């Protein structure tokens, strides 16, 4: 990579041009694309121009930067944040010291900097050679300088890959935080489910359901509420488990960074997330104890379930309540959650 700086003097209709400084740099051993090398050369030119300007005792009236790379001109004339970090950082540094209208395109045959890097034959290093006196067009009027493209065309080089982020927002039909009883919440959920099913039956000319809630309706309503709590507390894990497994031998499909990874969670036929335990080998344990339901520790439904079990034991014998909860549910930090639910006034604010 090379950059050459020239001073152009205009006095009494006479034009003089002479070299001031030049800078070359060897390309790295690691492979790097040609457009990146050209951008790096443009950055070298800007730094060289700043050094020359600071060293001279008289003021420079105008600056012209020439490059034969159309990719560099496209990067300078577009939003550099669209491109990779390599391009964005260097374009940002270039634009801190120069203006976009100071950059111009020059054909490769007129690019003097190529004499420092591309040698098809021995370079002309005589005092009258272009390496010391600059390109021929600089000694003519500006109207005869290389014609510039009407507009820098866009380039696909070094475009940053597009990142599409999808955010799923789930709003439950029933607001569980407005209830103070787990059984009442299940009844309301069952009634809402019955109403929806009756509307579908009327639409298709079927029979509607009336009367007292059945046991099957209550079981389905409870399953819906548990799925709702799990979807709120573990959306990434639920989404991963709902996808088909590529490896059937894998015990856990959730990411390793998940807090549930060591629990080897899975979804049952109702879509409820459960954990695998070694108790499953015991013939005398209940099905719920073998496959406890995972509940988030900070969810209103979890608080309602804890309060329901606490009331069943008449507000005493806390260890028995925790033991009964563990027979069916897995709640992270269950003792802390239990104390927070039973004694909310003791929680530090």
């Amino acid at each position: 990579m090379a950059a050459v700086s020239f001073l152009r003097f205009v006095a009494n209709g006479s034009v003089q041009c002479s070299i001031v400084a030049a800078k070359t740099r060897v390309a790295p051993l690691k492979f790097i694309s040609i457009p990146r090398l050209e951008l790096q050369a443009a950055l070298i030119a800007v730094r060289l121009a700043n050094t020359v300007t600071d060293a001279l005792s008289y003021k420079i009236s105008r600056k012209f930067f020439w490059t034969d790379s159309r990719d560099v001109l496209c990067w300078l004339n577009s939003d550099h944040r669209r491109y990779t970090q390599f391009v964005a950082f260097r374009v940002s540094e270039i634009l801190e010291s120069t203006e976009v209208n100071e950059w111009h395109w020059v054909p490769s045959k007129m690019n003097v900097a190529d004499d420092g890097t591309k040698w098809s034959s021995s370079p002309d290093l005589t005092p009258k050679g272009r390496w010391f006196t600059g390109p021929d067009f600089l000694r003519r009027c500006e109207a005869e300088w290389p014609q510039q493209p009407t507009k820098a065309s866009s380039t696909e080089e070094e475009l940053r890959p597009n990142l599409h982020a999808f955010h799923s927002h789930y709003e439950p039909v029933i607001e569980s935080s407005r209830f103070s009883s787990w059984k009442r919440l299940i009844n309301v959920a069952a009634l809402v489910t019955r109403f929806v099913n009756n509307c579908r039956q009327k639409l298709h000319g079927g029979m509607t359901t009336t009367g007292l809630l059945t046991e099957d309706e209550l079981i389905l309503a409870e399953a819906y509420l548990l799925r709702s709590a799990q979807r709120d507390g573990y959306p990434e894990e639920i989404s991963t488990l709902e996808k088909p497994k590529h490896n059937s031998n894998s015990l856990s499909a959730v990411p390793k960074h998940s807090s549930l990874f060591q629990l080897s969670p899975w979804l049952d036929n109702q879509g409820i997330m459960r954990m695998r335990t070694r108790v499953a080998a015991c013939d005398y344990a209940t099905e719920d104890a073998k496959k406890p339901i995972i509940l988030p520790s900070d969810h209103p439904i979890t608080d309602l379930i804890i309060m329901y079990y606490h009331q069943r034991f008449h507000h005493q014998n806390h260890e028995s309540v925790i033991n009964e909860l563990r027979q069916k549910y897995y709640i992270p930090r269950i003792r802390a959650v239990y104390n927070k639910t039973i004694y909310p006034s003791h929680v530090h604010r």
Side-chain angles (χ1 to χ4, degrees), residues 65-337:
F65 292 89
W66 302 88
T67 177
D68 58 1
S69 173
R70 293 180 182 269
D71 288 328
V72 172
L73 294 177
C74 291
W75 289 331
L76 295 175
N77 283 275
S78 60
D79 186 1
H80 57 273
R81 293 172 296 181
R82 298 174 52 221
Y83 301 97
T84 58
Q85 289 185 348
F86 184 96
V87 173
F89 290 159
R90 285 157 179 80
V91 170
S92 177
E93 182 177 347
I94 291 173
L95 295 180
E96 285 180 0
S97 303
T98 64
E99 300 293 336
V100 176
N101 55 13
E102 294 178 342
W103 286 88
H104 307 276
W105 176 79
V106 62
S108 296
K109 293 182 179 180
M110 299 182 183
N111 188 6
V112 181
D114 282 351
D115 292 351
T117 57
K118 301 177 182 178
W119 290 1
S120 58
S121 60
S122 298
D124 184 7
L125 298 180
T126 62
K128 294 184 179 180
R130 70 174 189 172
W131 180 260
F132 293 99
T133 61
D136 294 336
F137 66 84
L138 286 183
R139 288 185 291 275
R140 298 193 293 265
C141 63
E142 295 186 19
E144 299 180 15
W145 288 2
Q147 186 177 2
Q148 299 299 307
T150 54
K151 186 178 180 181
S153 58
S154 60
T155 178
E156 301 295 326
E157 289 286 343
E158 300 292 333
L159 272 176
R160 187 189 297 271
N162 293 327
L163 175 63
H164 299 279
F166 297 93
H167 175 68
S168 59
H169 182 64
Y170 172 75
E171 292 185 0
V173 179
I174 303 172
E175 197 65 45
S176 57
S177 59
R178 301 178 58 182
F179 290 81
S180 59
S181 171
W182 172 235
K183 286 299 182 181
R184 185 178 301 173
L185 177 59
I186 293 177
N187 290 334
V188 172
L191 290 173
V192 172
T193 304
R194 174 186 284 186
F195 173 77
V196 174
N197 292 333
N198 286 341
C199 291
R200 292 174 178 172
Q201 291 296 329
K202 289 182 180 180
L203 184 63
H204 296 87
M207 297 292 294
T208 59
T209 305
T210 57
L212 298 176
L213 293 171
T214 63
E215 183 178 357
D216 292 338
E217 288 178 319
L218 295 174
I219 293 175
L220 291 176
E222 182 179 4
Y224 164 77
L225 294 173
L226 294 176
R227 290 195 301 270
S228 176
Q230 291 176 341
R231 192 171 295 275
D232 291 341
Y234 307 106
E236 182 180 1
E237 288 80 359
I238 294 294
S239 177
T240 304
L241 292 173
E242 288 177 343
K243 298 178 181 178
K245 289 184 179 181
H246 299 285
N247 184 8
S248 58
N249 296 326
S250 177
L251 293 178
S252 180
V254 300
K256 290 186 178 181
H257 62 79
S258 171
S259 59
L260 304 182
F261 176 75
Q262 295 183 347
L263 304 181
S264 301
W266 58 283
L267 298 179
D268 61 9
N269 55 4
Q270 291 183 311
I272 299 175
M273 183 168 59
R274 298 175 179 268
M275 65 173 289
R276 292 181 173 89
T277 63
R278 287 178 289 184
V279 183
C282 179
D283 297 333
Y284 305 101
T286 62
E287 289 299 318
D288 288 332
K290 294 179 181 179
K291 302 169 291 185
I293 299 171
I294 301 175
L295 289 178
S297 56
D298 53 348
H299 197 276
I301 288 180
T302 304
D303 296 339
L304 292 178
I305 293 175
I306 292 176
M307 186 59 67
Y308 168 72
Y309 276 81
H310 179 65
Q311 292 173 353
R312 279 181 53 187
F313 284 84
H314 307 288
H315 308 278
Q316 57 184 352
N317 203 347
H318 303 322
E319 291 299 326
S320 297
V321 177
I322 293 176
N323 180 68
E324 288 297 318
L325 285 168
R326 285 174 170 169
Q327 297 303 311
K328 186 174 182 180
Y329 305 102
Y330 173 81
I331 304 173
R333 300 181 294 108
I334 185 172
R335 294 184 184 277
V337 178

Side-chain angles (χ1 to χ4, degrees), residues 36-57:
R36 285 192 173 192
L37 289 175
E38 293 169 337
L39 178 61
Q40 187 68 23
L43 181 59
I44 295 173
V46 172
R47 293 173 178 173
L48 179 62
N50 292 337
T51 302
V52 171
T53 303
D54 295 338
L56 294 176
S57 59

